Amino acid sequence: MPSDRLSNQIRRLRFENGEMTQQQLADKAGVTRQTIIAIEAGKYAPSLPLAFRIAHAFGIPLEDVFQYDGDANPSRPGPDSAR
């Protein structure tokens, strides 16, 4: 089973942006504070549109907020593999 993991820098970014609260980020991203808490804690992976809204709230690229730590399993065909 692959061990895909999405990590994030949300907590650090909130504090680097004037100690932005989780509620303020939630308001900017259009979600609840509970959603931000779950994403920040790594318990929930956001949808792609939500990930972009969070990055936009900080004014930085998506990859500066979220990092994908996927299991590079060579036995599993990737999206570019011929079948």
Side-chain angles (χ1 to χ4, degrees):
M1 178 182 282
S3 60
D4 294 341
R5 174 116 170 95
L6 187 66
S7 59
N8 69 74
Q9 304 301 314
I10 293 174
R11 182 174 172 79
R12 178 182 61 79
L13 290 165
R14 286 193 304 104
F15 282 92
E16 288 177 0
N17 283 270
E19 297 191 17
M20 180 189 297
T21 66
Q22 291 168 330
Q23 185 63 58
Q24 289 169 325
L25 178 57
D27 291 344
K28 289 183 177 196
V31 295
T32 65
R33 184 177 65 86
Q34 288 78 14
T35 298
I36 297 299
I37 290 168
I39 294 169
E40 192 173 285
K43 297 182 185 301
Y44 171 73
S47 66
L48 190 54
L50 175 53
F52 274 104
R53 290 196 310 267
I54 291 170
H56 186 262
F58 292 119
I60 59 176
L62 181 68
E63 61 270 13
D64 289 349
V65 180
F66 295 97
Q67 297 76 42
Y68 176 68
D69 307 316
D71 180 15
N73 184 349
S75 65
R76 188 172 66 188
D80 296 331
S81 298
R83 294 187 184 212

